[in-house]
Amino acid sequence: AVRVIRISDFNNDKLLDDEIKKYPYSNVLDAYEIFENDILMCMTGGTVGKTCLFPKLSYRCFLNQRVALFRTEHLEINYLYYVLKSANILKIINDTKRSTNDNISMKIIGEFDIPFPPLEEQKRIVAKLDEIFAELDKIDEKQTRLATIQEKMEAKILKLAIQGKLVEQRSEEGTGEELFKIIQEEKQELIKQGKIKKEKRLPVIEENEVPFKIPLTWKWVRLSDICEIPITDGTHQTPTYSSKDEGVPFISSKDVTTKAINWNNIKYITKDLHKELYKRIAPQKNDILLAKNGTTGVAALVEDDRVFDIYVTLAVLRPIRNLIYPKFLLNVVNSPVCKGQFNEHLIGIGVPNLHLNVIKEVMIPLPPFEEQKRIVAKIEELLPLCRGNKI
């Protein structure tokens, strides 16, 4: 058996020996053997245009279809490699992709314009680019370390916040227990008025369940306990997409990965489908959207009154108005205490999934309403410092 390079092998930055599959040998393959310092380019699929400089391997390797090979005796190979990864070539590839559905042909590749300086100049260009990219790698490494530190600092702030250690407790603000009773009375009134449905009773929180101690004026509650409507998710049916001009915004878990709704790359659905979906769940300002598939456990706040619909990968948490401060709940859901509970109950292989029942039963600490607002104010004061921003 021999190894054969396929388009799927271009998923990594480098071709990895142990990930290149073996196939039965045939002498027909001899015409497609790859040698050290050949350059390979993916011609189709999600990685179309991705280029790899073939390394020195301890075994024979052969070329599969839809993988282009560059071999030259007239150019410094590293110079050609840099040219093929340049903005000019990438533009040609991207323009071609848009017109041929993620495919580039050998004809297009054969017509690439390659600048051809003298050999010694090619070597000097490669040396300078190697030097520049080495410095950029160092910068990337530092930025990665900094981002990790920032992430840990932000998590620490949120952890202190929900442990009741970020702001002082004030007796005149009441207790979480008192607030919880008011919330339950409010929900019962909404049920009587037919505005919400009565939910199945959630398990009582036992003392041995709670993750940590909280102030005496706080109370442990289930996430569903403090939501105005039953926690639910978006449509399960495959959406019918439309253009931006003719459609209605439609978002999924991919649009909340930064803990805020990213409206830049959203999809749009037909107005007929929107009318159907909006009857079931109409997201509104101050709702919290929680990713339950893919990048799970990440939440974002709906900050305005725009009309949109959501996919099944998002759950809607609607904090009961005037009793739960939306930004407080947002920070709690994005905190390590919720993330840990989510992670304990992920199901599925490959793409993780959070079940709605798990989300409903997640335990969160409940401080008095005014303290919730003071906690948020302190978080918003400290988080910019973690990111190096001026207040």
Side-chain angles (χ1 to χ4, degrees), residues 134-198:
E135 290 299 319
L136 290 175
D137 286 342
K138 291 179 183 177
I139 293 173
D140 286 342
E141 185 179 343
K142 290 178 180 178
Q143 289 178 334
T144 300
R145 289 201 302 266
L146 178 59
T148 301
I149 293 171
Q150 290 173 339
E151 186 177 333
K152 289 181 177 179
M153 290 173 66
E154 291 180 14
K156 181 66 174 178
I157 289 171
L158 293 182
K159 184 177 180 180
L160 292 173
I162 63 172
Q163 288 178 337
K165 298 178 180 178
L166 208 57
V167 301
E168 78 281 4
Q169 284 71 53
R170 298 175 182 174
S171 58
E172 67 270 19
E173 293 176 346
T175 67
E177 183 71 51
E178 294 168 346
L179 176 61
F180 184 69
K181 289 180 180 179
I182 296 172
I183 289 172
Q184 297 311 299
E185 291 171 359
E186 178 68 19
K187 291 187 75 170
Q188 287 302 315
E189 184 61 30
L190 291 172
I191 292 172
K192 286 180 182 179
Q193 295 175 9
K195 294 182 178 179
I196 64 172
K197 295 180 179 180
K198 187 175 181 178

Side-chain angles (χ1 to χ4, degrees), residues 27 49 67 84 112 126 140 149 182 204 218 221 228 236 299 351-352 368:
N27 57 12
V67 177
L84 293 174
F112 284 165
V126 168
D140 286 342
I149 293 171
I182 296 172
V204 175
W218 291 24
V221 299
E228 184 176 304
H236 289 229
V351 179

Side-chain angles (χ1 to χ4, degrees), residues 209-390:
E209 285 185 272
V210 299
F212 49 81
K213 291 183 178 181
I214 54 176
L216 295 176
T217 54
W218 291 24
K219 178 180 177 62
W220 282 102
V221 299
R222 302 286 183 186
L223 191 53
S224 187
D225 287 334
I226 49 84
C227 289
E228 184 176 304
I229 62 173
I231 296 173
T232 188
D233 51 16
T235 180
H236 289 229
Q237 64 178 289
T238 302
T240 305
Y241 292 114
S242 176
S243 66
K244 180 178 180 179
D245 294 336
E246 298 293 329
V248 177
F250 184 76
I251 67 173
S252 63
S253 59
K254 71 176 179 61
D255 302 308
V256 302
T257 56
T258 60
K259 300 181 182 178
I261 301 175
N262 182 354
W263 299 98
N264 294 328
N265 297 304
I266 63 170
K267 294 184 177 181
Y268 295 83
I269 57 173
T270 62
K271 292 179 180 178
D272 287 342
L273 178 58
H274 160 68
K275 290 178 182 178
E276 179 185 341
L277 301 183
Y278 218 60
K279 293 176 183 177
R280 177 175 173 269
I281 180 69
Q284 63 185 39
K285 184 177 180 180
N286 289 328
D287 280 354
I288 292 168
L289 306 180
L290 174 66
K292 57 184 283 287
N293 297 82
T295 307
T296 55
V298 178
L301 184 68
V302 180
E303 297 182 328
D304 54 41
D305 293 314
R306 75 180 74 190
V307 174
F308 65 95
D309 298 289
I310 63 170
Y311 195 38
V312 63
T313 55
L314 288 173
V316 176
L317 285 58
R318 184 169 297 166
I320 193 158
R321 66 191 66 191
N322 301 322
L323 297 174
I324 299 296
Y325 193 46
K327 287 186 177 181
F328 171 76
L329 183 58
L330 175 71
N331 283 297
V332 171
V333 173
N334 278 327
S335 71
V337 66
C338 281
K339 186 67 174 176
Q341 292 178 72
F342 292 146
N343 289 343
E344 287 177 5
H345 297 92
L346 289 177
I347 59 175
I349 300 174
V351 179
N353 175 60
L354 272 175
H355 197 279
L356 283 176
N357 287 337
V358 170
I359 298 171
K360 292 176 180 180
E361 294 185 13
V362 162
M363 297 175 290
I364 67 168
L366 179 66
F369 184 69
E370 292 301 321
E371 188 172 346
Q372 294 175 33
K373 293 196 290 186
R374 290 191 291 110
I375 290 171
V376 169
K378 179 57 71 171
I379 291 173
E380 291 180 347
E381 175 187 336
L382 295 176
L383 287 187
L385 298 176
C386 297
R387 300 162 187 160
N389 298 335
K390 294 181 179 180

